[in-house]
Amino acid sequence: MLQKKIAELAEQTGYWVAAEALALLSIPPDPSHGDWSLPCFSLAKKLRKAPKAIAEELAAKFPAPEGFAKTEALNGYWNFYADKAVFVQNTLNEIKEKGLEFGFAEQKNKTVAIDFSSPNIGKELAFHHLRSTMLGNSLALIFKASGYKVERINHLGDWGTQFGKLIVIYLRGNLPTDEQTLSNLTIKELNKLYASFSVLSKENPELEAQARDAFARLEQGDEFYRKLWVAFKEATLKELTRIYKIMNVDFDHYTGESFFEEQIPSVIEELQNKELLVNSQERDVVLLGEEMPPCLIKKSDGSTLYATRDLAAAIYRKKQYDFEKCLYVVDNGQALHFKQVFAVLERMGYEWNKDCEHIPFGLILHKNEEGKWEKGKTRTGTASLLRDVIEAASAKILAVINEKNPELANKEEIATKIGIGAIVFNDLKNRRLMDVKFDWDAALSFEGATGPYVQNAHVRLCSILRKSGKNTAELQFKSNELLDESSYDLIKILSRKGEKINAACESKEPSMLAQYSLELAEAAHKFIHNNRVIGSAEENSRLFLVYCAQQVLESVLELLGVAAVREM
Ligand code: ARG
């Protein structure tokens, strides 16, 4: 890697250590200013010299390192111009050697636990769970590519007052409770029950209290209630696993809230022993000072809360996985909850609380009947449901395929992959804290910053490779045949894959890779447009570049959780 050469040289100057210089290296926006540039601004104070003078001194004193044509000083930057042929040779050889894993980091022997998706049982997966699922899945893949061992955790919301609600409404409707009926329950029915609870409880406020009692009974182990609860959970899991399968998302652990039931008494005891628990307004709480409301641990009827279970879960995860980091990919609305939980851990004396991090994200908005953007609500059953979204997206893409390429084999499967890719990409392309406007037509379009656009670039690369009829991974290339502007630009972008993965990992922003995939797609389209590949005098070199671009694009799409389809 040529960047390393710059870092080594920077260390020789005595002004930087190599790793520091590597992190500082940037790519000049104007290519006529070189391939990389090392800013000298941070040295000004220490050396009592203007950055401009420092850069000039360095450029005059140190000859260009091996692999570079020249270096130059410009406005406080020390600019490096690669020897293009060497750069092309190195980059493409490395892709040849590493294939899809080009740009991946070495194994670190460290674990990251990622809590994502984590929907509530008894309800359909709603839009914000879709965001958590997609962000979490992509982050898990990015951390893995960055050399971490990843534990994918689904902290299902399978415990809490909401089950009291479901039980109350189920029994109130006199619905049958024989094994047969219970095992055939569907998520749709459960969702309807939820919706009817919210409607009914408005007229009958006593239902809320009944629901709390029902949950307390469930928590105390009432057999009949447990039987209902198991049935609700099974019905939901059936649907969830179906959706995860379509989206190609999986988990190492389905440890939901109920899983921690057994550990809760010891957590409460620990809180007591550490004198953190106080009784306030008939509830046991941990006081968190001025800046935060107290964290609720136990209600007067003895039932525990969301936060109690999160405390138990965090302690369990640390013991079980000895994580370097524990990430919670949960919507921004829960920011206070996580602040409280992490603060309680700190008061318990767990220094690793600083390794727990809430990874928040914005809302998904969709248009209501009046054409206004709004957030969907699940409890009342009005949210657009993920399943419908996936099905509708796939149907739209299938219509396009039927028009343009009706003979395509497996077209339903491909349409589903593109439809889902469109949803995922639409979600991941912007920084995660931004609200996502879900605009169907824009997201499913083959033009613009969309999943289908990037997938289509990959399809074009694949189709050239297929048509060539050659074993393209093994081709010999000549780097001096790849120095024209659009080839060289593409290669430069390819070379940045590792740097982009690293940046996405550090900032926990899959959007960085989504933006990178757009850059890749655009450069690939441009290269194909400007250069005839098959039948040209440079055929082998160009085909090899097509192969390298395909490998990088495939891998980046996969890291986003978007299928890299080969035909459409
Ligand atoms: N089930 C929760 C919800 O849907 C999200 C759980 C997130 N994870 C956690 N450890 N609290 O709002």
Side-chain angles (χ1 to χ4, degrees):
M1 276 273 109
L2 286 179
Q3 291 98 309
K4 276 211 189 103
K5 292 259 155 63
I6 303 179
E8 282 161 18
L9 178 69
E11 187 157 309
Q12 279 173 34
T13 67
Y15 292 161
W16 293 276
V17 287
E20 191 188 3
L22 207 55
L24 277 175
L25 270 189
S26 64
I27 298 198
D30 177 351
S32 74
H33 294 162
D35 297 284
W36 288 281
S37 130
L38 189 57
C40 302
F41 303 94
S42 55
L43 298 174
K45 219 172 168 185
K46 200 167 83 192
L47 302 179
R48 296 168 168 275
K49 234 183 186 177
K52 190 165 178 287
I54 301 171
E56 278 162 8
E57 179 203 306
L58 288 169
K61 190 162 160 201
F62 293 92
E66 196 196 326
F68 287 85
K70 61 173 178 176
T71 80
E72 252 173 31
L74 184 75
N75 300 330
Y77 289 94
W78 187 10
N79 292 339
F80 291 79
Y81 295 74
D83 176 328
K84 292 188 174 184
V86 173
F87 177 70
V88 168
Q89 188 76 29
N90 286 357
T91 307
L92 299 195
N93 275 340
E94 204 178 326
I95 300 177
K96 183 172 191 159
E97 186 193 323
K98 307 225 171 100
L100 294 172
E101 294 190 359
F102 166 71
F104 285 15
E106 276 164 30
Q107 291 305 318
K108 288 191 174 43
N109 206 6
K110 286 178 183 164
T111 299
V112 183
I114 309 188
D115 174 331
F116 69 103
S117 195
S118 309
N120 296 329
I121 294 288
K123 285 185 204 163
E124 302 234 30
L125 208 60
F127 262 120
H128 63 281
H129 291 121
L130 168 65
R131 282 214 86 184
S132 171
T133 308
M134 303 293 48
L135 278 165
N137 179 53
S138 179
L139 286 174
L141 294 164
I142 291 169
F143 270 91
K144 189 153 173 254
S146 303
Y148 290 88
K149 178 162 195 292
V150 177
E151 302 286 353
R152 297 162 158 256
I153 304 172
N154 199 327
H155 186 78
L156 294 166
D158 59 359
W159 210 233
T161 322
Q162 70 258 38
F163 292 96
K165 291 185 185 170
L166 271 183
I167 291 172
V168 165
I169 202 80
Y170 196 88
L171 296 179
R172 194 184 155 100
N174 276 326
L175 298 171
T177 57
D178 57 289
E179 297 292 331
Q180 176 82 24
T181 311
L182 287 180
S183 67
N184 286 331
L185 264 181
T186 65
I187 184 92
K188 267 213 162 116
E189 290 163 318
L190 292 177
N191 222 40
K192 267 198 209 127
L193 288 176
Y194 255 123
S196 64
F197 185 93
S198 351
V199 175
L200 276 177
S201 63
K202 275 192 194 107
E203 292 151 25
N204 309 287
E206 75 280 4
L207 284 182
E208 294 283 351
Q210 283 178 22
R212 279 194 297 276
D213 289 347
F215 176 59
R217 239 175 100 178
L218 179 65
E219 213 170 19
Q220 285 146 21
D222 182 287
E223 256 181 52
F224 176 55
Y225 280 20
R226 289 261 163 155
K227 189 173 99 176
L228 291 176
W229 171 77
V230 168
F232 299 157
K233 186 164 167 171
E234 295 288 303
T236 318
L237 275 176
K238 233 188 271 168
E239 173 68 3
L240 281 180
T241 41
R242 193 184 77 87
I243 288 177
Y244 291 147
K245 199 164 158 215
I246 304 179
M247 303 189 97
N248 200 18
V249 169
D250 56 12
F251 292 90
D252 300 309
H253 314 281
Y254 277 89
T255 38
E257 294 184 40
S258 65
F259 177 83
F260 298 100
E261 209 194 340
E262 275 170 34
Q263 290 149 58
I264 281 188
S266 72
V267 172
I268 294 186
E269 202 184 300
E270 193 179 334
L271 288 168
Q272 256 152 2
N273 292 343
K274 293 182 174 164
E275 294 179 359
L276 292 168
L277 224 47
V278 256
N279 196 274
S280 155
Q281 295 169 345
E282 291 179 51
R283 298 162 315 187
D284 288 339
V285 306
V286 177
L287 297 175
L288 295 171
E290 299 278 281
E291 73 270 30
M292 266 181 268
C295 183
L296 308 188
I297 303 293
K298 210 164 88 182
K299 289 196 265 190
S300 54
D301 61 5
S303 57
T304 59
L305 291 120
Y306 184 46
T308 328
R309 296 186 282 275
D310 255 328
L311 285 175
I315 295 167
Y316 171 86
R317 287 173 194 172
K318 184 64 191 178
K319 263 199 211 121
Q320 201 72 7
Y321 314 128
D322 190 25
F323 57 71
E324 169 88 4
K325 284 186 183 71
C326 180
L327 309 180
Y328 297 79
V329 188
V330 185
D331 71 86
N332 200 22
Q334 295 194 25
L336 177 62
H337 163 76
F338 287 108
K339 253 174 120 175
Q340 291 175 302
V341 170
F342 303 159
V344 174
L345 288 171
E346 188 183 8
R347 276 158 216 246
M348 292 173 90
Y350 294 124
E351 274 165 30
W352 48 262
N353 84 314
K354 61 177 190 328
D355 305 324
C356 296
E357 194 182 340
H358 176 208
I359 308 296
F361 53 82
L363 303 172
I364 295 201
L365 308 174
H366 30 107
K367 269 199 185 128
N368 66 12
E369 279 112 44
E370 289 135 40
K372 285 211 182 94
W373 292 102
E374 66 169 18
K375 181 192 172 189
K377 310 174 206 77
T378 4
R379 229 164 269 151
T380 51
T382 56
S384 295
L385 304 172
L386 178 59
R387 193 192 42 231
D388 301 347
V389 172
I390 292 176
E391 276 160 21
S394 311
K396 276 203 178 184
I397 298 288
L398 188 59
V400 177
I401 294 180
N402 275 333
E403 189 193 313
K404 298 207 167 143
N405 190 5
E407 302 303 318
L408 181 66
N410 304 328
K411 55 187 176 185
E412 279 83 13
E413 194 190 317
I414 291 176
T416 304
K417 286 187 171 158
I418 301 173
I420 292 171
I423 302 173
V424 176
F425 198 89
N426 182 62
D427 200 287
L428 297 185
K429 74 177 177 186
N430 295 314
R431 296 194 143 254
R432 59 182 150 74
L433 270 171
M434 308 243 297
D435 290 344
V436 173
K437 284 185 178 157
F438 198 85
D439 179 340
W440 283 100
D441 293 323
L444 293 170
S445 162
F446 284 86
E447 263 137 61
T450 67
Y453 169 76
V454 180
Q455 284 173 314
N456 188 35
H458 183 254
V459 165
R460 279 183 82 187
L461 296 169
C462 288
S463 103
I464 295 172
L465 297 177
R466 231 180 2 254
K467 280 190 194 131
S468 79
K470 291 183 179 168
N471 179 3
T472 42
E474 294 304 328
L475 288 175
Q476 299 296 326
F477 64 94
K478 295 199 185 90
S479 40
N480 60 7
E481 291 179 349
L482 297 170
L483 298 179
D484 61 284
E485 197 182 309
S486 52
S487 306
Y488 188 69
D489 280 351
L490 176 58
I491 294 164
K492 247 175 110 168
I493 293 174
L494 298 180
S495 79
R496 302 188 68 181
K497 183 183 169 201
E499 174 200 326
K500 297 288 182 181
I501 294 175
N502 190 40
C505 181
E506 294 268 305
S507 58
K508 291 123 195 154
E509 276 289 0
S511 63
M512 293 199 166
L513 282 186
Q515 293 299 332
Y516 177 57
S517 75
L518 287 167
E519 256 180 78
L520 275 169
E522 202 177 311
H525 278 310
K526 203 160 137 205
F527 165 78
I528 295 168
H529 180 81
N530 290 345
N531 295 291
R532 190 151 66 91
V533 179
I534 296 174
S536 68
E538 300 85 359
E539 177 172 313
N540 281 359
S541 296
R542 288 183 180 163
L543 265 178
F544 190 71
L545 176 52
V546 169
Y547 165 76
C548 289
Q550 180 276 322
Q551 290 283 296
V552 172
L553 196 50
E554 173 177 345
S555 159
V556 172
L557 280 171
E558 299 285 346
L559 288 175
L560 290 167
V562 173
V565 296
R566 293 175 186 274
E567 276 181 286
M568 64 168 69

